[in-house]
Amino acid sequence: MSQVFSEETHRNLLARIPHCTGREVSDWLRAVDDGPALFNFEEKVSWLRHEHNLAYGHAKAIIHEYDLRRAARKLL
């Protein structure tokens, strides 16, 4: 997992994703879940960018959030 932005920047990007993409963050997280089984952070970002035509920063924020939530689920 890669820390790509400060926590504040990450939260600001997540807040803007619905406005910029027309889809909620939860929709994007499901898209990543349903997407190809990629292991590398940057591969996931690249797939999301090219498959869904997302900006690089938005794609990184989505993948970072996906990884954070996935790690949290493992702790439970």
Side-chain angles (χ1 to χ4, degrees), residues 1-65:
M1 178 169 57
S2 173
Q3 176 68 34
V4 286
F5 306 111
S6 71
E7 186 62 28
E8 180 182 2
T9 300
H10 176 67
R11 293 289 155 217
N12 288 338
L13 276 167
L14 285 180
R16 291 198 39 79
I17 285 172
H19 173 73
C20 295
T21 68
R23 291 175 67 180
E24 294 297 321
V25 173
S26 58
D27 293 337
W28 288 114
L29 297 176
R30 276 192 297 280
V32 174
D33 241 356
D34 295 340
L38 301 170
F39 180 73
N40 182 282
F41 182 87
E42 288 298 328
E43 288 176 332
K44 292 177 193 176
V45 170
S46 181
W47 170 79
L48 201 54
R49 288 183 66 214
H50 292 97
E51 184 73 20
H52 297 284
N53 200 30
L54 289 178
Y56 185 68
H58 291 145
K60 284 184 95 167
I62 291 166
I63 297 302
H64 181 62
E65 185 67 15

Side-chain angles (χ1 to χ4, degrees), residues 1 65-76:
M1 178 169 57
E65 185 67 15
Y66 179 83
D67 287 347
L68 286 173
R69 291 183 186 196
R70 193 168 136 220
R73 283 192 308 256
K74 286 183 179 179
L75 294 176
L76 297 177

